[in-house]
Amino acid sequence: MAGDIDYMLRVVVANMAAYDEFYKRLISITPLRNVVSRFAMERIKATTALPFPDQVEQAARKSRIAEAAAI
C-alpha cells in the first residue's frame, strides 16, 4: 500500500466488546502509533472471488447486444 498506511488488518469479531479485547491485547504486545479504526455496520459482500468465466461471457454478450441495438 502507498501513502500514510503501513499496515491494514481486517479483523472479524462478534461485537464491540470482542474488538475492544482484541485491540487491548494487540497494543499490549506491539508498540503502535496513529491507530485508526473503521467499522462495517453490515456485510454486503462476503467473497473476493472473481466471476466465473460463463458469467463474464454472459455479461459480454449482453453488452454486445446492447451496442448493436443502439446502432
Side-chain angles (χ1 to χ4, degrees), residues 9-22:
L9 301 177
R10 181 177 180 204
V11 179
V12 179
V13 292
N15 53 38
M16 290 304 294
Y19 172 77
D20 190 49
E21 180 182 334
F22 165 79

Side-chain angles (χ1 to χ4, degrees), residues 48-64:
T48 59
L50 297 174
F52 291 107
D54 61 326
Q55 291 173 325
V56 173
E57 178 55 35
Q58 288 174 4
R61 189 177 314 123
K62 287 180 183 179
S63 177
R64 289 191 301 271

Side-chain angles (χ1 to χ4, degrees), residues 1 5-10:
M1 292 182 288
I5 299 173
D6 291 326
Y7 297 96
M8 182 171 70
L9 301 177
R10 181 177 180 204

Side-chain angles (χ1 to χ4, degrees), residues 32-49:
L32 299 173
R33 294 184 314 186
N34 301 328
V35 175
V36 175
S37 297
R38 292 182 175 90
F39 301 94
M41 301 306 290
E42 62 182 302
R43 182 181 292 188
I44 303 296
K45 183 177 177 183
T47 181
T48 59

